[in-house]
Amino acid sequence: MSLALFTLGGTIAMAGADRGVVTRLTGEDLTAAVPALAEIGLPLDVRDAHAVPSADLTYRQLLDVVDAASRAVTAGATGVVVTQGTDTLEETAFLADLVWPHDAPLVFTGAMRNPTLAGADGPANLLAAARVAAAPSARGLGVLVAVNDEIHAARWVRKTHSTSTGTFSSPNAGPVGHVIEGRVRVLARPERRVPLPRVDPGRLDATRVALHTATLDDDALLLGGVADACHGLVVAGFGVGHVRPALAPVLGALAERMPVVLTSRTGAGSVLRHTYGAIGSETDLRRRGLVDGGLLDPYKAKVLLRLLLAAGVDRDGVVAAFADHG
């Protein structure tokens, strides 16, 4: 039995340089800075993976890591930790959660302060993530994010602050647990979804999903080429799922050609279904064929829609999937 650790770069793996923070620390460097990892009682199988900032990660790279993590679990690993930059962690963890087939925990973590700064949070986050990955109570929870001694479900976690070490939160649900005095305390067990089938990497690379955020005095100009360039669209609407009335027929026309998913730009809460009835309201947009994104934020909705379309799922299947995940 062991723990597998995959390192992907990011602030947690950065060290000082003459101009900025650019030098990458290896997995061996990261674990050497956390001697308390030995207290977990499981050997660490450390693997340096893609050395890129999280803003440059691709779906293909993340799914490669998930495949490698799956092989590690099949070979006997109790759990898996992935370290990466925090910029896209909310999306990568959700992507992994959509396809992770094991009861063994797959735990993502990162850092907001690099090792050259006072109060660097990387070592503590790595230790917490390893403890969660090794904990029997974390089995069956899917993919988790362990940061700031909190445990979040990948389905709900958001990055909510650009610099704070407490940036990650789950506005709709709260953390599912905490790490307290080194003990993993799981307080809630979210319902697991059936994993999506593995998508052919070539089809995934060729699938394009656009994201349009509703803004004050918005117009349809930016939507003009979406139908020709993309296979799907996510709309981050105002509040409970509204757009300007002028955009409603444009989105309706797009929905006749591709799946268009309606979400909220607010960062918490669900789009509604039938409370408001004016042109551009959630009721009107659903009548025009937009898919209800439920509680999923726009970024997670985009991840789910791209996987579904790359797998060849038709519109009815997209509707069903968002009803399940949203």
Side-chain angles (χ1 to χ4, degrees):
M1 300 178 68
S2 64
L3 291 180
L5 169 63
F6 293 86
T7 67
L8 297 177
T11 296
I12 193 172
M14 294 292 102
D18 291 337
R19 296 183 180 180
V21 182
V22 295
T23 304
R24 182 176 187 267
L25 301 174
T26 66
E28 183 178 353
D29 295 328
L30 293 178
T31 56
V34 193
L37 286 168
E39 299 173 4
I40 295 175
L42 292 173
L44 274 173
D45 176 12
V46 182
R47 312 182 192 186
D48 294 319
H50 305 287
V52 295
S54 67
D56 198 31
L57 285 170
T58 67
Y59 282 55
R60 183 190 286 252
Q61 289 172 325
L62 257 297
L63 292 176
D64 285 345
V65 171
V66 171
D67 285 345
S70 182
R71 291 192 295 271
V73 168
T74 301
T78 299
V80 181
V81 175
V82 176
T83 64
Q84 68 158 82
T86 60
D87 283 346
T88 60
L89 195 149
E90 62 189 287
E91 293 161 86
T92 58
F94 182 62
L95 171 61
D97 190 51
L98 289 173
V99 298
W100 184 244
H102 303 284
D103 284 336
L106 175 56
V107 186
F108 281 67
T109 195
M112 294 298 292
R113 294 178 181 166
N114 72 76
T116 69
L117 298 177
D121 53 332
N125 286 345
L126 176 56
L127 179 59
R131 283 173 167 156
V132 173
S137 59
R139 295 184 64 83
L141 293 179
V143 177
L144 302 168
V145 173
V147 285
N148 210 31
D149 281 339
E150 294 182 338
I151 308 166
H152 294 268
R155 183 183 177 198
W156 301 127
V157 72
R158 297 287 309 271
K159 185 174 182 178
T160 63
H161 195 283
S162 63
T163 60
S164 171
T165 56
T167 181
F168 286 100
S169 67
S170 298
N172 288 319
V176 299
H178 301 266
V179 180
I180 304 170
E181 295 182 321
R183 181 185 175 192
V184 175
R185 299 291 308 274
V186 174
L187 306 179
R189 304 193 68 85
E191 181 183 358
R192 288 292 305 275
R193 267 59 179 174
V194 176
L196 299 181
R198 186 67 163 89
V199 178
D200 175 78
R203 294 193 62 176
L204 186 58
D205 291 344
T207 302
R208 299 286 181 268
V209 174
L211 171 60
H212 180 82
T213 301
T215 56
L216 180 67
D217 202 17
D218 197 5
D219 60 36
L221 180 63
L222 295 178
L223 295 171
V226 168
D228 296 324
C230 298
H231 305 89
L233 171 66
V234 173
V235 177
F238 297 116
V240 297
H242 295 172
V243 299
R244 288 189 70 197
L247 261 65
V250 177
L251 294 175
L254 285 171
E256 294 177 357
R257 302 180 62 180
M258 63 172 66
V260 179
V261 178
L262 179 64
T263 65
S264 172
R265 73 175 198 172
T266 59
S270 175
V271 293
L272 296 181
R273 295 173 60 84
H274 47 67
T275 296
Y276 298 92
I279 296 175
S281 69
E282 80 285 352
T283 303
D284 175 58
L285 294 176
R286 289 184 66 246
R287 187 184 304 118
R288 296 175 189 270
L290 273 68
V291 178
D292 177 11
L295 283 160
L296 286 182
D297 63 65
Y299 313 115
K300 288 185 171 63
K302 187 172 183 285
V303 171
L304 176 57
L305 182 58
R306 185 172 173 186
L307 282 185
L308 294 171
L309 295 179
V313 176
D314 61 16
R315 188 185 185 284
D316 288 343
V318 169
V319 172
F322 274 90
D324 185 31
H325 290 274

